[in-house]
Amino acid sequence: MNFWLFKSEPDAWSWDQQVARGDLGEEWTGVRNYQARNNMRAMKVGDRGFFYHSNIGKEIVGLVEVIRGVAQDSTTDDPRWDCVVIKALKPVSRPVSLDECKVVPGLENMALVKNTRLSVQPVTEAEWRIICGLAGV
DNA sequence: GCCAACGTTGGC
DNA sequence: GCCAACGTTGGC
C-alpha cells in the first residue's frame, strides 16, 4: 500500500464536506498539474492518504482512502486530466500542523515542507507512521 | 493582500 | 529548445 497527501482549501472543499459524502466519496477534480496528476495515476484502490487544509488551518485533519483509480476528470473534456475518488476514513484525534511537520524529526523532507505548491503528493511509510502517531490515529 | 516559488505557454 | 511573460498556489 502507498500513502499520499491531498491538499484542499477548506473554503473550496473541506474535511466536513468530505465526511458528509460518506462511502460515496468524492472525485478529486480540478488538478491541473502534471506532477499531482501523475501521483494520482500511481494510486491504487485501498491506498491511504492524509487530508490537509491549506491556507486556512494548514494542518492535517483526517485520513482518506482511495476508492476508485484514475478516470477522466469529469470537470473537463481535456484527456490530459484524470483523477481518483477518495472517501473519508476517520478524523484525526489531534490535527498535525505544517509548522509541526517542519520541526519534527523525520518529517522535514516531506513534499508538504519542501514543495509547498504540490497539491497531491506522496508520503513515505515512515512519515505516515510518525504523523499517525502525532495525530493519535 | 502580498509575494516567492514554480509551473505553463508561446514567441522566436 | 530556450526563455520571457504570465498565471497559480499557498505561506506569511
Side-chain angles (χ1 to χ4, degrees):
Chain A
M1 182 191 304
N2 288 307
F3 303 101
W4 311 94
L5 183 145
F6 298 84
K7 281 188 191 174
S8 186
E9 291 187 45
D11 275 352
W13 184 255
S14 70
W15 172 248
D16 286 345
Q17 286 173 289
Q18 182 71 44
V19 168
R21 294 287 293 158
D23 287 341
L24 284 176
E26 181 71 9
E27 194 187 359
W28 207 250
T29 55
V31 171
R32 301 290 182 268
N33 170 286
Y34 292 108
Q35 245 185 300
R37 183 211 61 190
N38 290 343
N39 287 331
M40 288 200 283
R41 287 187 174 178
M43 291 179 192
K44 294 199 169 57
V45 171
D47 279 358
R48 298 287 169 90
F50 292 123
F51 193 103
Y52 173 82
H53 276 168
S54 61
N55 273 312
I56 301 166
K58 285 170 284 179
E59 58 193 9
I60 290 165
V61 292
L63 303 189
V64 296
E65 181 177 340
V66 177
I67 60 169
R68 193 210 67 198
V70 276
Q72 176 66 36
D73 181 332
S74 66
T75 63
T76 177
D77 290 330
D78 190 329
R80 289 177 301 169
W81 307 119
D82 40 30
C83 62
V84 298
V85 173
I86 61 174
K87 74 167 185 179
L89 268 188
K90 63 191 298 197
V92 295
S93 303
R94 182 184 154 276
V96 178
S97 69
L98 173 62
D99 285 343
E100 213 170 345
C101 292
K102 286 179 178 171
V103 298
V104 170
L107 299 182
E108 60 279 284
N109 289 319
M110 286 184 74
L112 191 64
V113 176
K114 284 283 173 68
N115 190 357
T116 55
R117 293 186 53 212
L118 187 60
S119 62
V120 179
Q121 42 181 268
V123 173
T124 68
E125 190 168 356
E127 290 162 351
W128 180 266
R129 290 210 182 110
I130 293 170
I131 293 169
C132 284
L134 295 169
V137 291

